[in-house]
Amino acid sequence: MIEVDLLVAGSGAAGFSAALAASHAGLSVLMVEKEPQFGGSTAYSAGVIWIPGNRHGRALGIPDSKQEALTYLQHEAGNRLNLELANAFLDNCNPAVEFIESKTHVRYEAVPIWADYHPTKPGAAQGGRSLLPLPFDGRRLGRRFADLRAPIKTMMAFGGMMLGRGDLPHVFKMTRSVRSALHVAGMTARYAVDRLGHARGTRLTNGNALIAALALSAEERGIELWLNSPVVELLLKDGVVAGAIVQRDGKRQEVRARRGVVLACGGFPADDELKRRYYGHVREGRQHRSAPPPGNRGDGIRLGRQAGGALAEDVAYAAAWVPVSLVPQPDGSTLPFPHFYERGKPGYITVDASGRRFTNESASYHDFVPALVEACRDREETMCWLICDHRAIRRYGMGAIGPAPLPLGPHLRNGYLLSARTWPELAALIGVDAWVLHNTIQRVNVNAARGEDPDFGKGTDAYHRFNGDPAHQPNPCLAPLERPPFYAMKLIPGDIGTFLGLRVDGRARVLDSSGVPIRNLYAAGNDMTSVMGGAYPGAGITIGPALTFGYIAARHAAGLSA
Ligand SMILES: Cc1cc2nc3c(=O)[nH]c(=O)nc-3n(C[C@H](O)[C@H](O)[C@H](O)COP(=O)(O)OP(=O)(O)OC[C@H]3O[C@@H](n4cnc5c(N)ncnc54)[C@H](O)[C@@H]3O)c2cc1C
């Protein structure tokens, strides 16, 4: 048996935030992680955080206020918005991020034109709320670098080189700008050197940079992190959570936790049973592929339920949706590639199995999937085709395929990408009516040349245009698809994590079905219900709250106000 003040289950954004805040508040902390590597889905992510009124945005002169953000959340989540949680988030997100930036190695920057996802709604921001982590040198982790979960393989170049959001404009322009060519050449040279001594590149960006920086800071504070060590049972004494049983390297180990346990196990995107219960289209037997890692199997939710915690089931959607393509692997399996942005670029459209467009391709991924599910309601399969011409694919790439000069050949040979010289040939290849596809393309091309999309409004707001190409006019999201060959890639519904989770109060305390806190039990990240009520207001709306509620939980456990 060992004894600490706080036991933290899970090593993603929520877990590290809780552990570091608790340690800085003077508590002894043990972190335990079920998987052989730490980082969870946060390590897979872009690491972006949505923090209204943050200091980086202010420094750029972008005005914002708590009231504006609250108004926006009310319009996004409607009567599903839990005001207590929304206020707790908005009051604490800045202190939490300021704590993280001042006491750890994590550094963020604002992206001034990264608009909220529904920027015409009241209270929405046209930029500045979404913060991007700065790159981090993985070599600083020393031997622990090998314990850091790598990004999804399909999202790295050359099987191991990370590209950050800030690198992408250079990648798109590398054949047309000397500055961009030098930027990409520099990254590639560093990667080549890295591979002499490491299994992958050590220039970390996105969620990998966030987790690596948090992990280094935790190690420097002497916070122990056990890998291969799931929490399997909570220990209760007179209704108070007193610790847990941790299965460490296969052996049951009792951990007493004087101030409590934080559940930060990352929700249930890898649990088929819970997904069948809560994902409508999965319940109906529809195709779906989740992007998060296999360890996120709802353990925190089950543990919380066993201790008497209730689930907050009133969310608009149980998960954060994203369309995915399935990238064939040499062993015959497939890996998902989440399509966040390229749908919005000029020269891309999506069509359903009839060959018709069905939605605005530049809308957010969370909005795209319900439109896809609806469009396929009476069809055999829930899928669509992402279509583009040669100019678009060479300039921006498609899914796991990079832009020129990266080759298309291997992707054509393994069937990930389909291509034809004419539209009727492509229609035949993907099994859609050639005449319908012809009409779709004709109409798109005529309107795109004028920069208009009268059917779905692609490129009509600041968020759509952020997803487009600012150098392309008159509409950054629209271009005729006219340069053969033409290409198609299949997309199906997927998710990047769950929204539905344990009911908590504004102090991250797990509540029972009567709304009474279970003493010494906290949940943060995707183990707690999303503050957004199942809506997706902007980039970073899961990791922003994960860092914030981890911080809140730790401060409460330490007896400090949060
Ligand atoms: C490709 C991709 C991009 C994304 N980009 C963004 C983004 O930019 N911004 C954003 O806000 N969101 C993003 N998301 C979503 C985001 O990654 C998650 O919502 C978030 O990271 C969840 O954080 P967490 O701390 O709750 O869980 P995680 O980071 O998943 O960590 C949970 C950890 O708990 C471990 N665990 C599970 N069970 C146990 C147990 N019994 N005992 C101990 N440990 C356990 C898991 O193995 C895992 O390591 C993205 C997701 C993906 C897949």
Side-chain angles (χ1 to χ4, degrees):
M1 197 268 292
I2 70 154
E3 197 160 348
V4 291
D5 289 326
L6 196 69
L7 174 65
V8 177
S11 63
F16 271 115
S17 172
L20 281 154
S23 168
H24 279 273
L27 302 189
S28 62
V29 184
L30 172 64
M31 288 180 79
V32 295
E33 165 56 52
K34 171 185 183 176
E35 295 276 289
Q37 289 179 309
F38 61 83
S41 35
T42 310
Y44 274 4
S45 77
V48 176
I49 55 174
W50 192 74
I51 307 291
N54 66 74
R55 72 184 176 93
H56 299 285
R58 271 202 315 278
L60 295 172
I62 300 170
D64 200 0
S65 69
K66 177 188 167 188
Q67 192 47 51
E68 286 285 296
L70 191 58
T71 301
Y72 180 51
L73 291 186
Q74 279 163 331
H75 279 84
E76 283 283 284
N79 55 14
R80 290 198 177 89
L81 189 71
N82 177 328
L83 269 180
E84 181 183 350
L85 291 192
N87 276 307
F89 169 60
L90 293 172
D91 288 337
N92 289 286
C93 62
N94 281 300
V97 172
E98 275 156 30
F99 160 74
I100 281 170
E101 287 198 296
S102 63
K103 301 288 187 207
T104 79
H105 296 287
V106 175
R107 295 293 176 271
Y108 270 101
E109 66 178 346
V111 184
I113 57 161
W114 203 331
D116 286 344
Y117 286 0
H118 304 112
T120 55
K121 282 195 180 166
Q126 308 305 304
R129 284 181 180 160
S130 297
L131 302 178
L132 195 63
L134 296 184
F136 184 86
D137 189 341
R139 292 174 297 197
R140 293 171 68 189
L141 281 177
R143 283 183 29 230
R144 273 247 127 157
F145 179 57
D147 294 337
L148 167 63
R149 178 177 289 283
I152 302 178
K153 199 173 134 205
T154 56
M155 300 187 82
M156 294 187 287
F158 313 119
M161 182 173 100
M162 290 201 76
L163 297 172
R165 179 87 207 185
D167 300 319
L168 292 182
H170 292 295
V171 172
F172 297 146
K173 281 191 297 191
M174 66 183 157
T175 53
R176 288 172 290 132
S177 144
V178 175
R179 203 173 137 245
S180 293
L182 288 174
H183 181 93
V184 176
M187 284 191 317
T188 314
R190 157 88 186 260
Y191 175 65
V193 173
D194 277 346
R195 288 306 296 263
L196 300 173
H198 301 277
R200 63 182 174 105
T202 60
R203 177 182 174 268
L204 307 181
T205 61
N206 299 346
N208 241 250
L210 169 62
I211 287 292
L214 291 170
L216 180 59
S217 304
E219 188 171 293
E220 285 171 357
R221 284 202 68 79
I223 298 173
E224 238 190 294
L225 167 56
W226 296 353
L227 300 176
N228 296 303
S229 301
V231 167
V232 291
E233 192 184 323
L234 289 176
L235 301 172
L236 273 103
K237 202 164 166 233
D238 305 325
V240 180
V241 170
I245 301 293
V246 176
Q247 190 89 12
R248 190 182 190 192
D249 292 324
K251 289 200 199 74
R252 283 167 70 87
Q253 165 89 60
E254 184 178 329
V255 178
R256 296 234 176 109
R258 290 179 286 261
R259 301 294 182 94
V261 175
V262 180
L263 299 171
C265 304
F268 61 87
D271 187 272
D272 289 338
E273 190 194 318
L274 287 171
K275 283 198 291 193
R276 264 194 301 277
R277 190 173 323 156
Y278 291 115
Y279 293 11
H281 59 283
V282 172
R283 192 168 49 242
E284 289 162 11
R286 298 287 167 161
Q287 256 177 301
H288 184 95
R289 187 72 176 266
S290 299
N296 294 35
R297 297 194 58 176
D299 293 12
I301 286 165
R302 276 190 207 91
L303 291 163
R305 299 267 289 154
Q306 278 156 16
L311 279 182
E313 290 178 317
D314 186 23
V315 285
Y317 292 109
W321 308 127
V322 69
V324 297
S325 55
L326 300 181
V327 189
Q329 300 300 300
D331 65 359
S333 65
T334 57
L335 284 175
F337 182 95
H339 288 246
F340 290 113
Y341 308 112
E342 99 277 57
R343 291 168 287 114
K345 301 244 178 278
Y348 295 80
I349 58 167
T350 49
V351 298
D352 64 15
S354 76
R356 292 183 183 85
R357 286 177 73 211
F358 57 94
T359 194
N360 179 340
E361 295 88 352
S362 58
S364 94
Y365 32 97
H366 188 62
D367 296 342
F368 185 90
V369 168
L372 171 62
V373 169
E374 196 48 44
C376 300
R377 190 151 295 288
D378 299 322
R379 299 190 183 280
E380 233 167 71
E381 248 192 295
T382 301
M383 57 71 65
C384 66
W385 295 102
L386 176 61
I387 286 182
C388 72
D389 71 352
H390 191 65
R391 196 188 65 96
I393 202 168
R394 297 319 277 149
R395 187 158 285 189
Y396 311 109
M398 200 181 206
I401 302 169
L406 295 169
L408 298 178
H411 306 285
L412 289 164
R413 283 193 290 279
N414 69 15
Y416 179 53
L417 183 68
L418 301 174
S419 163
R421 302 257 2 136
T422 66
W423 288 116
E425 279 168 32
L426 191 74
L429 210 55
I430 64 178
V432 308
D433 186 293
W435 184 241
V436 176
L437 185 64
H438 168 83
N439 285 340
T440 299
I441 301 291
Q442 278 285 99
R443 187 170 165 79
V444 165
N445 285 358
V446 168
N447 288 317
R450 292 197 292 258
E452 290 166 9
D453 176 19
D455 298 323
F456 297 103
K458 191 179 181 201
T460 47
D461 74 29
Y463 174 64
H464 303 160
R465 290 193 288 274
F466 175 70
N467 285 334
D469 178 350
H472 182 84
Q473 292 303 324
N475 182 327
C477 303
L478 290 173
L481 287 70
E482 51 195 8
R483 235 199 49 237
F486 304 113
Y487 300 91
M489 181 180 283
K490 194 180 205 175
L491 303 185
I492 63 166
D495 69 84
I496 54 169
T498 47
F499 280 157
L500 188 152
L502 291 164
R503 208 169 145 190
V504 294
D505 66 7
R507 289 164 172 167
R509 294 181 295 187
V510 176
L511 302 177
D512 69 14
S513 54
S514 325
V516 176
I518 295 164
R519 279 186 52 205
N520 287 4
L521 184 62
Y522 302 89
N526 292 355
D527 278 353
M528 66 172 259
T529 184
S530 166
V531 194
M532 311 295 160
Y536 209 118
I541 57 89
T542 64
I543 300 182
L547 291 179
T548 305
F549 281 92
Y551 170 83
I552 290 175
R555 303 265 305 170
H556 186 269
L560 300 171
S561 63

